[in-house]
Amino acid sequence: MVALGVLAGLSVLSLLTYGYLAWDSLGLGPAGTDAGGGTQLGEEPAAGGHRQPGSQPHIVFILADDQGFRDVGYHGSEIRTPTLDKLAAEGVKLENYYVQPMCTPSRSQFITGKYQIHTGLQHSIIRPTQPNCLPLDNVTLPQKLKEVGYSTHMVGKWHLGFYRRECMPTQRGFDTFFGSLLGSGDYYTHFKCDSPGICGYDLYENDNAAWDHDNGIYSTQMYTQKVQQILASHNPRKPIFLYIAYQAVHSPLQAPGKYFEHYRSINNINRRRYAAMLACLDEAINNVTLALKKYGYYENSIIVYSSDNGGQPMAGGSNWPLRGSKGTYWEGGIRAVGFVHSPLLKNKGSVCKELVHITDWFPTLITLAEGQIDEDIQLDGYDIWETISEGRRSPRVDILHNIDPIYTKAKNGSWAAGYGIWNTAIQSAIRVNHWKLLTGNPGYSDWVPPQAFSNAGPNRWHNERVSWSAGKTVWLFNITTDPYERVDLSAKYPDVVKQLLRRLSQFNKTAVPVRYPPKDPRSNPKLNGGVWGPWFKEDEKKKKSDKSKGANKQKKNKNKKKAN
């Protein structure tokens, strides 16, 4: 209790000192070689490139899957990540960087620059059997880059829907696509079962199943080899956008045997496998970097590295000392590993503690590419290049983490608990400057310390659990002074709670309807040659509508005869 009192006191002192209670300042007014071949870390590449004054930079965006906040060497992990450590140390580390708590939401926000509430994808993820995808009326990042002459290539995990051909990556702005359409699958066979009997192959090259590439190669290595081929065949004098969305380190936990070498001492089998997967990923990124140097791209390139969400402790990931995990709105679910590495940065070797969100990459990268952002596109992202490169203040003062009107599992949530402003049964979370508010059921809320990965396993986690009083559906934290979310201030600062609830309400007025359709039996891969892929045919829909129109016409004629 004493410790909690001290922390709360520090929060109050900080608030009073810096004037955080002033609403204007709050912004609360209107709204290795085997991983793809190549040389070893540290070896000099054969050639290098040089930036021409005013030329468009090559953009390489690397998205890791389910990498925990702690799971990088420079955050104190026992897992060795020499490549990531080196690239981050020579670039700019993003230490106040946020993503979404799950796969589809983060990917949709990266590629559109819009919050989930503005695309209709605010609930869960896109399931393999759902007739759903990123809405076709949303302009994507690769489409905007193509407008200004970029060659655009995607390698890795899509997870933005594929039920119709128009949803495929090659129809959304990518010149080429090599990877998987679903959220997960076997790293070697590329098969995925969504439920018993609903199984299929999930490896694509452009719009067709890539059976020719089914050689049992581990996906991290296979994707890296593809990236090397793309770089080798492209002209480095012409700008390229490479989106590399690795499958690692998402479950299933699989890795080639050699990567277990340094991690035999890790007793927890899931953590050991996860460590091997991350070691392979780190080596793959080294080989991508060396390929950029070898083929003449590096000097005029911008490399962005990001995880798509927090780690999953049950699958080996660690977010310590943050609270919560993947799939939650606690910091452990949404605060990510991220950095920018580029010879074009002005403040190399620095740390950015300004607020940055995954939606910010859309306007930032388009501006760097000398592209134009249409006035009618209502973006939620900001151009943060000067913040990263020069250390300037971020234009961002808030983040809508999400509003999910379907997820209302907080049984005790009510309008009364939300002061008549907001129904606290709804799962939502918002950050405004130093304040963070959560409502509803934010998800699994434990802190999972490193020792939890010992032989004792999850049974020891209760040491870090907090049992909230029954009926609690609102939390308030000062994330600057309490980044681990240990001191709930909602009872102490009801006025702040009300202001943030009003901001949530303002955002909610701009939300579009949720897109979360029931599963479609036509999605079964057995009906599509054993492959997961587009199943919805536009002509079928037309035939059905024509048929129904004909039936209606016949009915009308019958009714007329009866009347006569």
Side-chain angles (χ1 to χ4, degrees):
M1 289 302 291
V2 174
L4 290 178
V6 170
L7 281 169
L10 285 171
S11 298
V12 176
L13 180 63
S14 161
L15 293 172
L16 295 174
T17 307
Y18 295 103
Y20 295 158
L21 289 174
W23 300 127
D24 289 342
S25 68
L26 268 172
L28 284 169
T33 327
D34 285 342
T39 6
Q40 293 297 324
L41 183 66
E43 285 187 28
E44 287 300 315
H50 296 281
R51 177 170 167 81
Q52 300 295 319
S55 64
Q56 297 160 298
H58 304 298
I59 299 168
V60 182
F61 194 95
I62 302 172
L63 191 64
D65 202 342
D66 286 8
Q67 182 179 4
F69 180 78
R70 183 181 173 82
D71 296 330
V72 66
Y74 64 84
H75 280 174
S77 177
E78 78 279 24
I79 303 171
R80 301 173 193 178
T81 56
T83 303
L84 298 180
D85 295 350
K86 187 173 188 292
L87 292 175
E90 294 171 355
V92 176
K93 296 174 185 173
L94 306 177
E95 293 300 343
N96 200 4
Y97 173 53
Y98 288 86
V99 294
Q100 297 309 110
M102 287 183 288
C103 309
T104 299
S106 284
R107 290 157 210 273
S108 69
Q109 298 200 25
F110 159 66
I111 213 166
T112 65
K114 295 181 180 181
Y115 291 143
Q116 291 159 261
I117 65 163
H118 296 143
T119 59
L121 300 175
Q122 55 266 59
H123 180 67
S124 190
I125 59 172
I126 295 177
R127 308 284 174 185
T129 56
Q130 280 182 313
N132 195 13
C133 73
L134 179 71
L136 300 176
D137 56 354
N138 282 272
V139 178
T140 67
L141 176 59
Q143 286 171 338
K144 295 302 295 179
L145 294 176
K146 273 174 73 74
E147 286 178 7
V148 286
Y150 273 74
S151 176
T152 58
H153 305 271
M154 181 183 171
V155 177
K157 170 178 163 177
W158 175 238
H159 207 185
L160 288 175
F162 58 89
Y163 80 104
R164 27 190 301 197
R165 187 177 171 275
E166 293 88 344
C167 301
M168 297 285 281
T170 51
Q171 307 300 311
R172 305 310 301 269
F174 289 104
D175 293 327
T176 68
F177 168 64
F178 181 74
S180 64
L181 298 175
L182 277 62
S184 64
D186 191 282
Y187 280 72
Y188 293 97
T189 66
H190 318 298
F191 268 83
K192 165 72 175 180
C193 289
D194 185 58
S195 58
I198 312 295
C199 304
Y201 185 67
D202 182 30
L203 182 65
Y204 269 74
E205 183 157 35
N206 298 323
D207 295 336
N208 300 302
W211 295 108
D212 294 344
H213 294 273
D214 188 15
N215 302 316
I217 302 172
Y218 186 66
S219 76
T220 302
Q221 298 168 337
M222 180 177 62
Y223 290 157
T224 304
Q225 289 169 6
K226 188 65 178 179
V227 169
Q228 291 167 323
Q229 290 166 14
I230 292 169
L231 291 172
S233 60
H234 183 75
N235 180 356
R237 291 183 181 177
K238 295 181 178 178
I240 190 171
F241 169 52
L242 257 176
Y243 173 32
I244 313 169
Y246 281 106
Q247 180 182 352
V249 285
H250 195 293
S251 60
L253 301 177
Q254 299 170 294
K258 63 169 278 188
Y259 296 100
F260 287 86
E261 204 173 296
H262 297 294
Y263 302 106
R264 304 286 178 201
S265 60
I266 297 178
N267 292 321
N268 183 288
I269 185 64
N270 284 349
R271 182 67 173 168
R272 192 189 317 149
R273 288 172 179 160
Y274 178 95
M277 294 167 77
L278 187 54
C280 181
L281 177 64
D282 185 80
E283 186 181 273
I285 292 163
N286 175 49
N287 290 326
V288 169
T289 309
L290 291 173
L292 289 168
K293 293 179 179 179
K294 178 179 180 179
Y295 297 115
Y297 298 88
Y298 177 76
E299 293 299 327
N300 187 27
S301 70
I302 294 166
I303 302 170
V304 181
Y305 182 87
S306 170
S307 179
D308 67 339
N309 45 246
Q312 178 56 271
M314 296 299 283
S318 176
N319 304 307
W320 180 260
L322 302 180
R323 182 179 189 176
S325 65
K326 171 186 176 175
T328 77
Y329 290 96
W330 303 107
E331 292 290 285
I334 56 177
R335 191 166 165 190
V337 174
F339 63 79
V340 178
H341 177 96
S342 172
L344 310 178
L345 288 165
K346 290 187 178 177
N347 289 353
K348 298 181 188 70
S350 61
V351 175
C352 174
K353 293 185 179 178
E354 292 291 307
L355 202 57
V356 177
H357 185 248
I358 195 165
T359 51
D360 297 333
W361 298 120
F362 184 95
T364 302
L365 298 179
I366 290 172
T367 304
L368 283 168
E370 300 169 14
Q372 295 293 318
I373 296 172
D374 305 330
E375 287 181 15
D376 59 338
I377 298 180
Q378 298 295 315
L379 291 182
D380 296 305
Y382 295 85
D383 179 358
I384 39 89
W385 181 249
E386 289 182 348
T387 301
I388 294 169
S389 180
E390 300 173 29
R392 297 192 185 185
R393 293 299 301 269
S394 173
R396 177 178 286 285
V397 295
D398 59 13
I399 298 173
L400 176 67
H401 293 305
N402 197 26
I403 297 169
D404 185 346
I406 291 180
Y407 195 92
T408 54
K409 292 191 177 180
K411 293 176 184 176
N412 295 295
S414 65
W415 285 95
Y419 299 98
I421 302 166
W422 186 255
N423 180 2
T424 64
I426 296 171
Q427 185 189 59
S428 66
I430 189 170
R431 168 83 177 266
V432 178
N433 277 338
H434 309 279
W435 293 110
K436 178 182 176 183
L437 181 86
L438 303 100
T439 74
N441 180 354
Y444 173 87
S445 63
D446 289 2
W447 294 270
V448 184
Q451 61 267 29
F453 293 104
S454 67
N455 274 341
N459 293 331
R460 294 188 61 83
W461 295 359
H462 69 275
N463 290 345
E464 285 292 329
R465 281 183 178 164
V466 170
S467 297
W468 295 108
S469 57
K472 186 158 186 60
T473 55
V474 177
W475 294 262
L476 178 71
F477 300 96
N478 183 318
I479 294 298
T480 304
T481 59
D482 179 24
Y484 314 138
E485 297 170 297
R486 291 183 178 270
V487 186
D488 174 29
L489 299 170
S490 60
K492 193 163 192 172
Y493 297 108
D495 288 343
V496 178
V497 171
K498 289 174 189 175
Q499 290 289 341
L500 293 177
L501 290 174
R502 287 191 189 99
R503 177 57 72 90
L504 272 176
S505 181
Q506 288 170 0
F507 269 119
N508 201 40
K509 287 172 185 172
T510 68
V512 301
V514 179
R515 298 167 62 102
Y516 199 74
K519 65 181 181 180
D520 186 338
R522 292 176 296 171
S523 62
N524 192 330
K526 285 179 182 175
L527 306 175
N528 194 25
V531 178
W532 288 104
W535 70 85
F536 183 89
K537 305 286 191 298
E538 197 64 50
D539 54 343
E540 282 181 19
K541 188 182 178 187
K542 201 176 178 186
K543 279 177 190 173
K544 279 186 179 178
S545 66
D546 290 346
K547 207 173 180 182
S548 63
K549 278 178 187 174
N552 289 336
K553 208 172 183 182
Q554 283 179 352
K555 270 186 183 178
K556 281 179 183 176
N557 290 338
K558 279 182 182 177
N559 291 336
K560 275 183 184 177
K561 283 177 184 176
K562 280 180 184 178
N564 291 334

